Amino acid sequence: MTELTDFEGAVLAQIGHGGPITAYAVAKRTAASTSEFWSGSAGAVYPLIQRLAARQLLVSTEAQDGKRARTDYVLSAEGRKALKAWLLDAHRASDLGFDPLRTRLVHMDQCSASERKRFMHQVAALLEKAAGTPAPTDDPRLLALHETLTRARLEWFKAFERVHSAMDEPAHRRLAAR
Amino acid sequence: MTELTDFEGAVLAQIGHGGPITAYAVAKRTAASTSEFWSGSAGAVYPLIQRLAARQLLVSTEAQDGKRARTDYVLSAEGRKALKAWLLDAHRASDLGFDPLRTRLVHMDQCSASERKRFMHQVAALLEKAAGTPAPTDDPRLLALHETLTRARLEWFKAFERVHSAMDEPAHRRLAAR
DNA sequence: GGCGGCATGTAAATGGTTACATGATTAC
DNA sequence: GTAATCATGTAACCATTTACATGCCGCC
């Protein structure tokens, strides 16, 4: 069996936690998550869940809601095993992944000081806002995760800003400022 | 003109900084970056650069290295404009993006305490290692960015660990520990 | 009883990955 | 002089996105 992709793992984990659950509900929750990295579109989620079911990681049960057919999914034993292998993969977990902010900050030297200043201001405001907004959940663990994450992100950004702008100052100003 | 993807932006930025440069060099630098999110494979980079050139964001010049043909690229004026629009997009920049660690931590309740403990240990070790390894560059700004980032990531992880394990303790132990 | 939006999908386009191909160059 | 590796790609595959299709439900 080939390894789960990260999206497959995330969906499997959602089903493992919330199941029995429909593909529609998985899509909606994904779409509502704090990151915009996965859109949670039907076009992604329905085929993905069908693939997982074909691999026997999910078992489906047909149900009827009045006149509308519905398919509910839960993890199979195999599915739970695959989920754990994905979840507990420390090497994959500790990669940096993709951060649109980091990706841009690396190249900040390619714009003028005023452009940079304006950008840093805007970003700081958006990060502050994110840090002030609780996660869309009532699970205290997820709230804590989101809070520590957004706060750490903001602190990191500020630390970088300090270092970066310190480097902008010519040496004599840096000395004079002591 | 449609918006640049993040990978297109990152490649444009590399060319803007290092140009004139070949597709091969861009691919190699991408492959050597600290994140494994983009593989930097020829199959991704060559077509991407061809697309950017077709959109007139790059200008190419043919050169000869002994017997081997080579194509060098630099930004056009349009290309620099597009790069800045991508680079200074504060809204896209402040999204969380994709973090394989965050994606997993959200679901840590789905494994046993011992599995979780082992995982957290392994991850902590890997993050410590990353924080102790300087970025593969000699640009002091990038070094600083990488250092603040890896340190912040480690601090965030530890903060989460503290909160999470505090929640594991039954109330009387939490009180007794005062 | 018609209309907005809910629930369930499918189709085409896009963009990245792995794997392969091919000729030039370097190391031994 | 031949094996490894560099440099330049192309091809087949795969996952995700946007856009579309369709029938059901609740509401006015």
Side-chain angles (χ1 to χ4, degrees):
Chain A
M1 269 309 171
T2 127
E3 245 183 1
L4 293 178
T5 66
D6 286 302
F7 193 20
E8 286 171 348
V11 166
L12 220 47
Q14 263 193 64
I15 298 176
H17 180 257
I21 190 173
T22 64
Y24 180 78
V26 170
K28 223 173 34 170
R29 288 174 63 104
T30 303
S33 84
T34 36
S35 160
E36 292 172 18
F37 185 70
W38 289 309
S39 79
S41 63
V45 173
Y46 281 83
L48 184 150
I49 288 187
Q50 287 163 12
R51 283 200 307 274
L52 293 176
R55 286 168 67 179
Q56 322 243 15
L57 304 181
L58 297 178
V59 299
S60 60
T61 59
E62 305 296 324
Q64 207 72 19
D65 247 357
K67 205 168 184 177
R68 176 180 292 167
R70 195 182 75 212
T71 310
D72 289 313
Y73 296 91
V74 291
L75 293 198
S76 67
E78 276 296 304
R80 188 152 295 278
K81 234 176 74 181
L83 167 57
K84 287 219 180 153
W86 171 80
L87 191 62
L88 299 173
D89 185 332
H91 277 89
R92 283 176 77 184
S94 53
D95 186 69
L96 285 179
F98 167 66
D99 180 338
L101 183 52
R102 168 171 47 85
T103 305
R104 283 168 175 81
L105 290 182
V106 170
H107 301 291
M108 270 299 125
D109 56 315
Q110 297 198 52
C111 56
S112 71
S114 65
E115 287 169 334
R116 189 167 69 237
K117 196 175 162 192
R118 181 181 155 74
F119 173 76
M120 299 297 263
H121 244 84
Q122 290 177 336
V123 170
L126 289 167
L127 294 186
E128 304 253 14
K129 195 174 137 198
T133 311
T137 175
D138 51 358
D139 180 332
R141 284 191 163 81
L142 298 193
L143 279 172
L145 173 61
H146 188 258
E147 200 201 318
T148 54
L149 174 62
T150 50
R151 284 250 308 276
R153 194 165 162 77
L154 181 57
E155 289 312 312
W156 159 61
F157 181 71
K158 284 182 177 168
F160 171 71
E161 205 174 6
R162 276 194 302 275
V163 172
H164 198 283
S165 63
M167 285 183 184
D168 272 348
E169 298 179 15
H172 68 274
R173 277 181 49 209
R174 240 177 295 162
L175 289 172
R178 288 195 173 171
Chain B
M1 270 308 173
T2 128
E3 248 183 358
L4 293 178
T5 66
D6 286 302
F7 193 21
E8 285 172 348
V11 166
L12 221 46
Q14 264 193 63
I15 298 176
H17 181 256
I21 191 173
T22 65
Y24 180 79
V26 170
K28 224 174 32 172
R29 289 173 62 103
T30 303
S33 85
T34 35
S35 161
E36 291 171 18
F37 184 71
W38 289 308
S39 78
S41 63
V45 173
Y46 282 83
L48 185 151
I49 288 187
Q50 287 164 12
R51 282 200 308 272
L52 293 176
R55 285 168 67 178
Q56 322 244 12
L57 303 180
L58 297 178
V59 299
S60 60
T61 59
E62 305 295 325
Q64 206 73 19
D65 247 355
K67 205 167 184 178
R68 175 181 292 167
R70 196 181 76 213
T71 310
D72 289 312
Y73 296 91
V74 291
L75 293 197
S76 66
E78 277 296 306
R80 188 152 295 278
K81 235 176 73 182
L83 167 57
K84 288 220 179 154
W86 171 80
L87 191 62
L88 299 172
D89 185 332
H91 276 89
R92 284 176 76 183
S94 52
D95 185 70
L96 286 179
F98 166 67
D99 180 337
L101 183 52
R102 169 171 46 87
T103 304
R104 283 168 175 80
L105 290 183
V106 170
H107 301 290
M108 270 300 125
D109 56 315
Q110 297 198 50
C111 55
S112 72
S114 66
E115 286 170 334
R116 187 167 70 238
K117 196 174 163 192
R118 182 180 154 74
F119 174 75
M120 299 297 262
H121 244 84
Q122 290 178 335
V123 169
L126 288 167
L127 293 187
E128 304 254 15
K129 195 175 139 198
T133 312
T137 174
D138 51 357
D139 180 332
R141 282 190 164 83
L142 298 193
L143 279 172
L145 173 61
H146 187 258
E147 201 202 319
T148 54
L149 174 63
T150 51
R151 284 250 309 274
R153 193 165 163 76
L154 182 57
E155 288 311 311
W156 160 62
F157 181 71
K158 284 182 177 168
F160 171 72
E161 206 174 4
R162 275 193 303 275
V163 172
H164 198 283
S165 62
M167 286 184 183
D168 271 348
E169 298 180 16
H172 68 275
R173 277 182 48 211
R174 241 178 295 161
L175 288 172
R178 286 198 175 168

